[in-house]
Amino acid sequence: MQRTHRWRPGRRMATLWTALAAGTALVVVFGTLGNASPDPADPAPADAAAAQAARPMENLGRGVVAVRSSDTEVLVSWRLLGLDPEGIGFHVYRSTGGGDWTRINDEVLTGGTNIVDSTADLGQDNAYRVAPVVEGDEQEPSEAFTLTADHAEEPVVRVPLRPGGEVKFTWVGDLDGDGEYDYVIDRQGTPQALEAYTGDGEFLWEVDMGPNSEDQNNIEGGSATINVGHNDGVTVQDLDSDGRAEVAVRVADGVTFGDGSVHEEVDDVHQSIAILDGETGAPRATAPVPDDYIDDGPLYARFGVGHLDGSTPSLVSYLKNRIGDGAFNLVIAAWRFDGEELTQQWKWLREDQDAPDGHNTRVIDVDGDGRDEVAEIGFVLNGDGTLRYSLAEHGVVHGDRFHITDIDPDRPGLEGYGVQQDNPSGLREYYYDAATGEMIWQHVQDGVSDVGRGLAGDVDPRFPGMEVWSFSGLHNAATDELTEPDTELAPWPQSTIQWDGDLTTELLNDGKIEQWDPENPTPSGSLPRLLSTWSHGAVNASQDINPTFYGDILGDWREEAVYTNADHDELIIFTTDHPTDTRLYTPAHNPAYRNAMTFKGYMQPHYLDYFIGDGMAEPARPDITYAGT
């Protein structure tokens, strides 16, 4: 039985929106909603945001994908884009065996951006494309996706790779400017390497990370080492807003780029940041990594991208090395690539400031002024590199995981939730205002514990907003109450994923997509399972439990999980085979979510800047433009 979704306005009252209910189906059409509360310390965030240009984001195509969802059916899915006009509809066309295009829908599709095709001859190739319909006029059709003849019944897209070593991470970006995502992968050999492929698996280039990548100690490794521990040193995004993505990588002496040129440094300790052409792997610009702590050796790196001024992409770098066998130096710096030069905008040195870091960085607009901030588990920097607040004053120390999103939609702004590693006070987990650092609640227990996992998501529609949990029970964040009295019945807090089409979240854990059932809770080891990735030949990657990437890269608003096969010569992209009537614009056009897609660290969920879950309000149309247009 399909559940009716309860949409409630909460604090976000639309000035213009339409919710069309047909039976249990519900269609969302864009309105103009607020995002997050202004920072009371900022004199005029609304005026500042209004004065900024909309942030450029990828000019994505429809991302059409088709999977065989049963013996006789195909689920075809495509993107609703962030700037699609209100009321846009779609026609879906099929070409069988290379024949003429035939429309498979009778009426214009204005609900969920997917359709079940039960009339295809699955013994032949079937290509699908969609055509937008605006005010009754059909527009140019999308690029086509082909489901091959006699295709396996599986929610999978397979992308060939060259033979090679193990893959820990995959990054996505539109390297060639065709509107669809391409792939950059690492190869965990000695030396390490990066490889780039188009969306259909055409090899583009390789970067050999050289002899300084051979020491892969996860704390004090070689100066060109990538993707060990929580240090990646690579990201992919369109940094100069020309419509094609670049690859940013921290390099050292002896790195060979995609065009065959070799990077040189004065020694094996000094490092640079290189911006590579996405299609060729050739260096377009380089700049030195800060050398404030060069006497303690090379800096390991974590990279991501955000819009710190609200309108221009910045590369954000988390850089760290160890002082002897004790404490760590920490540098956070921002860089801007204008198409020709890479310029350091600012750097922040932690030095003797009490600012606890962790294993993941988030760049997100915490105060709703249109400009992104840089968030760590225990502190936040403003977009200009000044310290906004530290949670150390609330007893927060180092921890593995934290999450920022609109956890409680009835409370103004965004909230954060984090867990702690060996906090001497006994602090296990905490919940706070993301804009100000105000502590809302904390859970303290006797003794000291390493709380290695923690999660936020709406898994229980009986309670408003999201649940948060680690190992102290499943709590409704807004009320700080247990939603399941038996703490042994909380789901394992590894990762969330939007998969089955309802508005609550599913769980991604050790190659399994699962659904926690609040009406019939079971221990975390025996949750109802929707998918086992190993049944389709996939193997785990980072931390021996994660995919190489996950996020919304194909089809509608649901998320994909990207693995490899055991031979590491194929990407296995899991994409939903469940139809849905819910319509949402692609999360890849949501600023907070797209920023999160550029970060790795210890892989953690990506979050939107609005609440997604049962009873959610309609999300605002994003304040973006399309890059390169």
Side-chain angles (χ1 to χ4, degrees):
M1 178 178 178
Q2 186 178 15
R3 184 173 66 200
T4 301
H5 299 311
R6 299 178 293 107
W7 293 76
R8 51 191 173 83
R11 65 179 177 85
R12 297 182 174 180
M13 300 302 294
T15 60
L16 175 64
W17 69 283
T18 306
L20 305 176
T24 58
L26 192 141
V27 179
V28 183
V29 184
F30 297 126
T32 55
L33 299 172
N35 181 34
S37 63
D39 174 17
D42 192 327
D47 292 341
Q52 296 160 1
R55 67 176 66 197
M57 297 189 74
E58 291 150 316
N59 188 14
L60 294 173
R62 293 294 166 189
V64 177
V65 63
V67 296
R68 190 166 177 174
S69 53
S70 75
D71 186 51
T72 59
E73 295 179 325
V74 175
L75 180 72
V76 185
S77 176
W78 60 96
R79 294 187 186 106
L80 184 71
L81 303 174
L83 298 183
D84 274 341
E86 184 175 338
I88 189 173
F90 297 93
H91 288 154
V92 181
Y93 291 86
R94 181 186 66 220
S95 170
T96 301
D100 294 338
W101 290 99
T102 302
R103 201 173 90 188
I104 64 173
N105 58 296
D106 295 327
E107 302 293 333
V108 177
L109 300 173
T110 56
T113 52
N114 59 90
I115 188 173
V116 175
D117 180 11
S118 58
T119 62
D121 178 359
L122 297 178
Q124 300 189 65
D125 287 356
N126 286 279
Y128 294 91
R129 68 186 189 187
V130 301
V133 180
V134 179
E135 295 182 348
D137 294 330
E138 184 171 296
Q139 312 296 305
E140 288 294 317
S142 70
E143 294 296 317
F145 180 93
T146 298
L147 185 70
T148 55
D150 298 312
H151 200 282
E153 183 183 324
E154 60 179 9
V156 165
V157 174
R158 298 180 184 271
V159 177
L161 304 173
R162 299 192 310 172
E166 292 185 6
V167 177
K168 180 177 181 180
F169 287 140
T170 299
W171 296 263
V172 300
D174 183 4
L175 301 178
D176 55 13
D178 68 353
E180 301 300 340
Y181 282 124
D182 306 301
Y183 306 105
V184 175
I185 65 169
D186 65 348
R187 294 289 191 179
Q188 289 294 311
T190 49
Q192 297 172 310
L194 292 175
E195 295 176 0
Y197 296 83
T198 65
D200 58 6
E202 177 188 352
F203 172 74
L204 294 176
W205 50 261
E206 177 186 48
V207 169
D208 183 336
M209 297 305 295
N212 283 307
S213 71
E214 294 180 2
D215 179 357
Q216 294 164 20
N217 181 279
N218 70 347
I219 295 178
E220 296 178 293
S223 53
T225 304
I226 58 173
N227 304 339
V228 296
H230 66 189
N231 306 288
D232 46 70
V234 182
T235 198
V236 178
Q237 183 56 292
D238 183 2
L239 292 169
D240 60 357
S241 301
D242 68 347
R244 296 192 305 117
E246 288 77 40
V247 178
V249 55
R250 196 264 286 106
V251 297
D253 194 61
V255 171
T256 302
F257 295 117
D259 63 350
S261 62
V262 179
H263 183 74
E264 296 182 356
E265 295 280 357
V266 297
D267 54 32
D268 290 335
V269 181
H270 283 80
Q271 302 160 297
S272 292
I273 293 175
I275 305 300
L276 311 183
D277 184 278
E279 285 192 281
T280 68
R284 296 182 61 188
T286 60
V289 167
D291 62 359
D292 301 80
Y293 303 116
I294 196 72
D295 290 344
D296 293 312
L299 291 163
Y300 259 166
R302 191 157 67 225
F303 280 178
V305 177
H307 293 69
L308 304 181
D309 65 357
S311 59
T312 310
S314 292
L315 173 69
V316 176
S317 58
Y318 165 106
L319 303 159
K320 198 172 185 179
N321 65 5
R322 195 172 192 178
I323 308 168
D325 59 357
F328 290 86
N329 300 306
L330 175 61
V331 182
I332 296 179
W335 309 78
R336 180 166 294 165
F337 175 62
D338 64 4
E340 296 182 358
E341 296 183 349
L342 178 64
T343 304
Q344 182 179 298
Q345 297 170 259
W346 52 259
K347 67 179 177 182
W348 175 85
L349 308 180
R350 179 168 58 186
E351 298 185 311
D352 59 355
Q353 299 174 84
D354 195 353
D357 65 316
H359 295 295
N360 185 255
T361 304
R362 298 185 181 274
V363 175
I364 183 172
D365 179 8
V366 299
D367 62 353
D369 70 351
R371 297 166 294 188
D372 289 330
E373 285 76 40
V374 180
E376 272 288 328
I377 194 167
F379 66 94
V380 170
L381 301 182
N382 292 308
D384 63 0
T386 58
L387 183 66
R388 185 180 185 88
Y389 64 77
S390 173
L391 297 177
E393 63 184 78
H394 299 291
V396 171
V397 300
H398 171 82
D400 282 3
R401 291 174 174 243
F402 77 108
H403 313 290
I404 295 177
T405 185
D406 193 359
I407 296 175
D408 178 3
D410 290 325
R411 185 183 188 278
L414 307 181
E415 294 80 37
Y417 166 75
V419 300
Q420 291 285 272
Q421 179 177 341
D422 299 332
N423 191 308
S425 73
L427 178 63
R428 300 297 200 264
E429 54 189 354
Y430 55 96
Y431 179 61
Y432 60 101
D433 184 288
T436 66
E438 172 195 355
M439 197 60 61
I440 301 172
W441 54 251
Q442 296 182 320
H443 293 160
V444 178
Q445 297 179 21
D446 292 336
V448 175
S449 177
D450 180 0
V451 185
R453 297 288 185 272
L455 206 53
D458 185 16
V459 295
D460 193 339
R462 300 173 302 174
F463 298 86
M466 291 186 181
E467 284 67 52
V468 294
W469 70 102
S470 55
F471 304 109
S472 302
L474 187 72
H475 289 80
N476 178 255
T479 62
D480 190 22
E481 295 179 0
L482 287 171
T483 65
E484 168 50 55
D486 187 347
T487 59
E488 299 297 320
L489 297 180
W492 186 258
Q494 177 64 30
S495 191
T496 61
I497 187 170
Q498 295 291 338
W499 180 263
D500 69 359
D502 64 19
L503 289 169
T504 56
T505 189
E506 287 69 56
L507 303 163
L508 178 62
N509 174 34
D510 195 15
K512 306 180 294 292
I513 296 179
E514 302 172 315
Q515 178 82 63
W516 188 72
D517 183 358
E519 301 290 349
N520 183 30
T522 52
S524 61
S526 58
L527 297 185
R529 188 174 304 174
L530 304 178
L531 177 74
S532 300
T533 60
W534 58 82
S535 297
H536 303 278
V539 296
N540 285 334
S542 62
Q543 297 180 283
D544 294 322
I545 196 170
N546 288 315
T548 66
F549 173 87
Y550 103 99
D552 179 32
I553 56 174
L554 294 171
D556 61 25
W557 55 275
R558 271 83 63 81
E559 294 171 305
E560 281 68 47
V562 181
Y563 294 79
T564 70
N565 61 353
D567 291 333
H568 309 292
D569 60 5
E570 182 180 64
L571 290 181
I572 303 177
I573 305 173
F574 289 88
T575 185
T576 188
D577 56 356
H578 294 254
T580 183
D581 293 311
T582 297
R583 168 186 283 212
L584 293 169
Y585 74 84
T586 173
H589 274 164
N590 180 266
Y593 190 98
R594 187 62 184 93
N595 288 354
M597 286 170 62
T598 66
F599 281 93
K600 298 297 185 189
Y602 284 172
M603 190 177 292
Q604 297 178 35
H606 310 323
Y607 289 99
L608 299 152
D609 58 18
Y610 62 82
F611 169 72
I612 184 169
D614 190 74
M616 66 180 284
E618 177 220 359
R621 183 186 181 95
D623 185 18
I624 64 173
T625 60
Y626 295 151
T629 59

